[in-house]
Amino acid sequence: MGALTDKYCIVGVGETPHMRPSNRTTLSMACEAVTKALADAGLKPGDVDGMTSYQAGDSTTSPHVATALGMRLNYAVDILGGGSSGEALVAHAIGLIEAGYCKTMVIFRSMNGRSGRRMGGQTPGGPVPVANAEGDAQFNMGWGWTTPAQRFGMSAMRYLHDTGCTTKAFAEIAVAHRYHATLNPKAIHRSPITIEDHQRSRWIVKPFRLLDCCQETDVSVAIIVTSRERAYDLRHPPVFIMGGYARTLTDSPQWNYSRESLHYVAGNYGWKRAFGMAGITHKDVDFVSCYDAFTFTTLIQLEANGFCGRGEAGEFVKGGRLQIDHELPSNLSGGHLSEGYTHGVQMVIENIRQLRHRADDACPGWAEGKHTYDRKAGCRQLRKADLCCGMGWGWENMASCLILRGMAA
Amino acid sequence: MPGPIDYSKLRILPDFDTAEWWAGTKARKYLVRQCKACGHKWFPPIFPACAKCASLDVAWFEASGKGKVYSYVVVVQPIVGAFIGAVPYVVAIIELDDCKEADGTVTRVAGVMLDEESEVAIGLPCEVVYEETNDPKIVMPRWKINGTAANAWRFTE
């Protein structure tokens, strides 16, 4: 796979606003995200001949979007999945383009994640009045244990027990990602928070408080992948795909808790592959994105992907390490915790913008790559943004990664 | 103890792989799947094959229903309607005492504790207790702390 490093690029990104509620169909939102990504790349609908998406039975499909936008596709496949699927579909795109199935692919996710189907089974209005527990749900809904917060809380609790970490480490992540959201005009939550604000917020499911949990929103996102040769002719300097892993699983992944440690999550099995493909070390990484459905998922992904030793993530994130202008900035758009919730692709989009040096912040010249680096004036562009590691998370048991570099690296 | 679970709002629907397990709880037996070929035990019974040797020749092992708390969460905001009156309630992952294998594998199961948050801690011993539901076919296993442990660890923040 090393031979594919840098052969493929992400050339276009687009998204709708984060809405609550959208009052729109997932098809309408997907069309907006895809056309914005096309415009960003400088492509016309007819230039794209492959489309994929991921969903949980809650969204439109690639053939619908292609019909709406007048695209005749050579490849259209929609997969089941949530977090970690966007990065995995980038891997699909590389394989498909390499093999000649198509030339340029768009990947989208469109979801009414707040006003429609919510994760974990609750209705938009609150608890499920009467629930059928069938299949897997016999052995989780039956115990009143359904949501991602409830499930990930179990590994978080054991992590606190095993490592001596406290929820102040969770707070560090909430504060860092919120700080970045204050620099992002698109973010849902833009008021800064403190460690104390986190510690005072109400309990959702112990050990998680309100400020440990992401912001469900209605949104669609799209990215475009093509070969390096085509990428050079497009609107922006290309962002090169250096390496990754795609929906890598732990052993005993599904509703079975007998693996050695609940918090030995899937990234542990993937990162050597990704860093090996990319030919880099952790020291080369300028910034990261971590699927922050919860503060804890960021914490444990940093550890799982080798940014710190096992059991050390709580210490690692202390002192604002993940904040812009510190050692390892994370989720520069504010992430799921503060910008909104797109099942991961918004992190890829932000990473692309940072690597292009075109973060869409308050700087008047951002579109031309002119930034002040004055955080008080709302600039969120990193000074050095040459190489990033994006980490996607499905459950504890499923993870993806995408290592990207900009033209300067 | 936590408030009652309103089982009229929760319909458990056993399937071809799980019907015998639910018949087990109705008979006050806590079953886990066991491989006839290699002896490996696992939970939940939705999995019809052995993850150690891939055999589909599987049977049941009647566990003692005793174990130790491996981890837990305290649900404060209810999501499933049947549990609105039960919050705050504790869901735990429990390591079964008599399901330890030579290579270190321990069968872990999950369930709702009958105890208050203040009574639950990682490392404490517990045992299954059976609870009738609105559906005469379904008896729900709950778990109750039944002892102490020197190394018990409780979330106190």
Side-chain angles (χ1 to χ4, degrees), chain A residues 127-129 131-133 136 138 143-144 153-154 157-158 161 167 202 204-206 254-255 257-260 262, chain B residues 9 11 13 15 18 22 44 46-47 70-74 76-77 79 81 83 89 106 108 110 112 117 157:
Chain A
V128 189
N132 285 337
D136 297 0
Q138 294 168 83
W143 334 134
M154 204 69 90
M157 188 71 94
R158 184 71 196 191
H161 166 273
T167 62
R202 69 181 168 90
I204 301 297
V205 48
K206 293 182 183 181
Q254 204 73 16
W255 295 113
Y257 313 105
S258 297
R259 59 183 180 273
E260 181 215 335
L262 269 193
Chain B
K9 293 181 176 170
R11 283 194 289 262
L13 302 174
D15 57 43
T18 67
W22 288 106
I46 53 174
F47 300 107
Y70 172 79
S71 191
Y72 67 97
V73 293
V74 185
V76 177
Q77 179 169 315
I79 301 299
F83 288 81
Y89 61 94
V106 182
R108 296 189 188 127
V112 192
E117 170 188 358
E157 290 184 47

Side-chain angles (χ1 to χ4, degrees), chain A residues 96-402:
Chain A
L96 289 160
I97 300 170
E98 178 74 15
Y101 283 84
C102 52
K103 293 176 181 171
T104 299
M105 294 200 70
V106 61
I107 298 162
F108 78 86
R109 172 75 170 120
S110 186
M111 57 196 290
N112 279 318
R114 177 73 186 198
S115 67
R117 162 90 179 269
R118 296 181 68 178
M119 294 300 116
Q122 72 266 52
T123 66
V128 189
V130 178
N132 285 337
E134 52 190 323
D136 297 0
Q138 294 168 83
F139 301 98
N140 50 67
M141 186 187 284
W143 334 134
W145 186 44
T146 54
T147 66
Q150 293 164 0
R151 176 158 167 185
F152 303 161
M154 204 69 90
S155 34
M157 188 71 94
R158 184 71 196 191
Y159 187 84
L160 299 178
H161 166 273
D162 288 349
T163 66
C165 175
T166 71
T167 62
K168 287 214 169 61
F170 300 174
E172 288 276 359
I173 291 156
V175 169
H177 294 185
R178 178 61 65 85
Y179 177 44
H180 300 155
T182 68
L183 308 174
N184 179 2
K186 299 165 299 182
I188 289 272
H189 284 302
R190 300 193 61 204
S191 306
I193 56 171
T194 63
I195 302 273
E196 294 69 35
D197 291 334
H198 169 275
Q199 297 280 303
R200 278 196 301 265
S201 67
R202 69 181 168 90
W203 292 110
I204 301 297
V205 48
K206 293 182 183 181
F208 293 152
R209 300 173 171 92
L210 181 68
L211 291 179
D212 289 307
C213 303
C214 66
Q215 303 296 325
E216 292 169 297
T217 49
D218 300 348
V219 64
S220 181
V221 285
I223 58 177
I224 298 173
V225 179
T226 196
S227 64
R228 179 176 59 202
E229 293 75 15
R230 290 186 194 88
Y232 287 132
D233 297 330
L234 298 180
R235 189 162 156 250
H236 293 289
V239 168
F240 297 93
I241 300 162
M242 299 180 75
Y245 55 89
R247 282 178 63 166
T248 289
L249 300 181
T250 60
D251 57 354
S252 290
Q254 204 73 16
W255 295 113
N256 178 320
Y257 313 105
S258 297
R259 59 183 180 273
E260 181 215 335
S261 171
L262 269 193
H263 50 75
Y264 193 71
V265 299
N268 286 285
Y269 298 85
W271 71 265
K272 286 177 186 166
R273 182 181 300 271
F275 280 70
M277 284 164 71
I280 63 161
T281 70
H282 293 86
K283 288 195 172 62
D284 297 318
V285 174
D286 294 319
F287 64 106
V288 296
S289 62
C290 293
Y291 193 95
D292 56 346
F294 304 95
T295 52
F296 172 71
T297 59
T298 290
L299 188 84
I300 201 69
Q301 283 175 102
L302 289 167
E303 181 172 319
N305 285 277
F307 284 93
C308 61
R310 199 168 172 186
E312 294 173 3
E315 282 298 315
F316 184 77
V317 302
K318 272 189 184 164
R321 187 185 202 113
L322 303 183
Q323 292 183 25
I324 194 166
D325 300 327
H326 288 65
E327 292 93 326
L328 192 68
S330 163
N331 288 18
L332 285 155
S333 70
H336 292 146
L337 288 173
S338 287
E339 184 188 28
Y341 183 57
T342 68
H343 276 179
V345 175
Q346 81 200 68
M347 280 74 152
V348 179
I349 290 177
E350 175 68 12
N351 294 345
I352 300 292
R353 289 184 173 134
Q354 289 282 342
L355 291 164
R356 288 174 176 171
H357 224 75
R358 280 161 177 75
D360 47 351
D361 56 20
C363 296
W366 71 262
E368 291 81 45
K370 292 176 186 156
H371 287 278
T372 63
Y373 310 105
D374 180 354
R375 311 308 171 200
K376 290 196 172 62
C379 177
R380 78 166 192 284
Q381 176 64 50
L382 292 174
R383 287 174 187 275
K384 183 173 186 298
D386 298 336
L387 205 154
C388 104
C389 176
M391 290 161 272
W393 163 285
W395 297 91
E396 289 100 331
N397 57 29
M398 181 188 287
S400 295
C401 172
L402 203 50

